[in-house]
Amino acid sequence: IGSTHLVDNIDPYYNEYWEGHGESGEIKHYYEATYENIRQGFDFDVYGHIDYVIRYCPAIKAAGTDSKILESHYAKMLKENREILDEILLALIESGKGIEANTGGFKYMLGHPNPHEDILRRYRSLGGELLSLGSDAHESKHLAYSFTKMPALLKGCGFTHYTEFHKRKPVQVPL
């Protein structure tokens, strides 16, 4: 799994990442760095939690579990970054790489997987098929966290299967 955790040597998890260019500017900067990471051709099979940056932006942190604010802010951030997100998704598809659908967003009370369903739907509509499942488990109690939600959610995004990798070869598993 490839991912972007550092931009200019700072993780968006930390408040200092958000100082300087405003929330929208820092999110765009993160996606530009992600696109460049993908274009470098690093050795990975799927890219993890593409909307990681949004999980830690100040507005999302401030919203807590207020679903109306969360939904509104996610929609705004996805709309503002649609073009670069499409470039990221197309670069992955064209290079034979997939994305990870990660249930960490449920664990963090965001109400969505990472990436958000809108990104999953967009990936699928662009022709993306390689989709692994992950739980972003940093503790054993979170292994497969909320996996029971994923078949219906992924079907609603246009997927009929998910991907497991065996010796780095993709194997499609029906939902």
Side-chain angles (χ1 to χ4, degrees):
I1 298 175
S3 64
T4 301
H5 277 272
L6 297 176
V7 177
D8 300 330
N9 294 315
I10 304 171
D11 190 322
Y13 174 84
Y14 296 105
N15 291 334
E16 68 184 283
Y17 177 83
W18 300 97
E19 299 168 359
H21 298 92
E23 191 172 86
S24 292
E26 295 299 349
I27 290 171
K28 183 175 183 182
H29 186 54
Y30 173 90
Y31 283 127
E32 290 168 345
T34 296
Y35 180 67
E36 287 306 313
N37 286 343
I38 291 165
R39 289 178 36 91
Q40 293 294 319
F42 294 115
D43 187 24
F44 63 90
D45 298 314
V46 296
Y47 216 80
H49 49 55
I50 290 172
D51 56 359
Y52 171 83
V53 68
I54 296 175
R55 182 193 302 174
Y56 296 111
C57 73
I60 294 291
K61 285 182 179 179
T65 58
D66 186 324
S67 60
K68 284 186 179 182
I69 293 173
L70 290 170
E71 287 302 314
S72 172
H73 199 66
Y74 252 104
K76 176 181 177 259
M77 291 297 105
L78 295 176
K79 183 178 178 182
E80 286 179 2
N81 292 284
R82 174 76 177 239
E83 187 175 306
I84 188 72
L85 282 166
D86 278 0
E87 289 179 34
I88 289 167
L89 297 174
L90 286 168
L92 289 167
I93 293 165
E94 290 168 4
S95 64
K97 310 287 187 189
I99 63 173
E100 174 203 33
N102 165 327
T103 58
F106 295 122
K107 179 176 65 178
Y108 296 116
M109 307 302 291
L110 299 176
H112 299 278
N114 295 113
H116 190 281
E117 294 94 328
D118 289 346
I119 296 173
L120 292 170
R121 275 191 285 279
R122 185 65 179 156
Y123 173 71
R124 184 67 198 108
S125 75
L126 292 169
E129 293 188 17
L130 296 177
L131 178 80
S132 69
L133 297 180
S135 55
D136 200 22
H138 292 249
E139 299 176 58
S140 60
K141 69 182 179 181
H142 293 132
L143 286 172
Y145 187 90
S146 291
F147 269 26
T148 56
K149 295 179 180 182
M150 296 307 285
L153 185 145
L154 293 174
K155 285 178 183 177
C157 293
F159 291 92
T160 58
H161 58 270
Y162 68 94
T163 307
E164 292 181 352
F165 289 85
H166 298 269
K167 296 185 180 181
R168 308 267 329 255
K169 302 284 186 226
V171 176
Q172 304 302 330
V173 179
L175 290 170

